[in-house]
Amino acid sequence: MGDSAYSYWVNCSNEERYYLKLFDLNNDRQRMSMERFHYYLPLTWNLFHQRLLQNITYPIKNRSGDFSTTCNEITLVLFNYIQGESLAEAYPFSEDIIEGIAASIAAIHLITPSIDQTTVMAETYDISFDRNLEKCISLLESTLTFDNPSKQALREHVLPKKEQILVLLNLVRKLRLAAMSETHEFKLCHGDVWGGNLIRNGHALYVIDWESAIMAPIEFDLIGYIGEEFDVFFSAYEKHVGKSVAINPDLLRFYSYRHHLRNLTNWLMNILFRNTEDAQNENDLEMILYHCMNRWDRIEPMVREVETNLRRRSGGIQ
């Protein structure tokens, strides 16, 4: 299984264990993921070996000193294995976990001056997925007959949301223009700090899967914690950065809606064009239904609650 790559455990005869990502060169989504190799693989290798961050995954070099190995039509990247419990299914998080996540994100942002920022991808507020999203909707609207149950289920569940999808897409386009017209301070961001990319081992929290690492406004890393836990999260975040922090609500809106629309596009493309296994189709359909479309209506109320919280903190509301 896998989205941007297929994932494996590697169990060695000497009882050492590694984590392996396999990229299928015939899969356009996975080829796109490989374009980020020269950004995040040396970044994480350096973060660990320069002792800037220790609780992370980093690539293991091959005998030639390269971070990846290509054999026929696959490319392999080997990583250190982290023993522990994934937080993918641990929601709702306890306050201790939320504070730990905030501390981890703050630590990533704080090391920005210690890295060569020119070697890290910089935020361009990209929304180039929009063309594929419109293509997928057009295909679902067509008279084409689907013999695959997952594709038929897409038609039944996604088409009724067409107008909302187009409204949100236009909103993201407007928010992008607004973001590009302003100056924002960029920090090193992980870009995908959700439970599935966090592993807990005792009291230690490890951050894995750095494919989305980028120089960007801090809001990029905060969008997963703008719900009921925001006050606990943000208090811990400010504590670890050692100062009060300003938040731009429109950036939270942009990143939240872009995140879900880009994910929707990726899963639609998987089911309609890429996947070859029914199990992967079923997984992607489940992600669309229960980790994407069901969350759109909660974004605006959550951002408004953040705005209220920030005004209260600054003394604007008694």
Side-chain angles (χ1 to χ4, degrees), residues 4-73:
S4 61
Y6 300 126
S7 300
Y8 296 87
W9 287 340
V10 177
N11 299 301
C12 303
S13 58
N14 63 359
E15 297 187 356
E16 290 183 355
R17 175 176 277 189
Y18 296 91
Y19 174 66
L20 178 74
K21 281 192 172 183
L22 184 153
F23 297 82
D24 180 357
L25 301 186
N26 293 313
N27 183 309
D28 69 312
R29 174 67 176 89
Q30 297 190 15
R31 287 199 309 273
M32 289 168 55
S33 297
M34 292 173 58
E35 294 174 2
R36 291 177 172 262
F37 277 7
H38 64 281
Y39 292 108
Y40 78 94
L41 294 180
L43 169 68
T44 50
W45 195 90
N46 287 328
L47 289 178
F48 182 82
H49 289 90
Q50 293 175 8
R51 305 191 69 80
L52 295 172
L53 288 175
Q54 293 295 285
N55 291 5
I56 63 171
T57 47
Y58 59 90
I60 309 295
K61 291 183 178 181
N62 64 19
R63 290 180 176 180
S64 301
D66 299 322
F67 292 120
S68 64
T69 304
T70 298
C71 305
N72 298 324
E73 296 184 333

Side-chain angles (χ1 to χ4, degrees), residues 3 29 261-270 274:
D3 197 16
R29 174 67 176 89
L261 291 180
R262 186 159 58 187
N263 280 348
L264 172 66
T265 303
N266 183 49
W267 291 320
L268 287 174
M269 290 290 291
N270 283 353
R274 300 177 182 136

Side-chain angles (χ1 to χ4, degrees), residues 207-243:
V207 184
I208 68 172
D209 198 353
W210 286 71
E211 180 183 327
S212 300
I214 192 170
M215 297 298 302
I218 63 170
E219 286 84 356
F220 195 4
D221 273 345
L222 306 188
I223 58 171
Y225 306 95
I226 61 174
E228 296 178 357
E229 66 268 37
F230 176 77
D231 190 49
V232 172
F233 173 88
F234 196 59
S235 294
Y237 178 85
E238 287 190 321
K239 174 184 175 181
H240 285 277
V241 298
K243 63 179 181 180

Side-chain angles (χ1 to χ4, degrees), residues 65 134 139 151:
E134 291 170 337
L139 181 59
K151 293 181 180 180

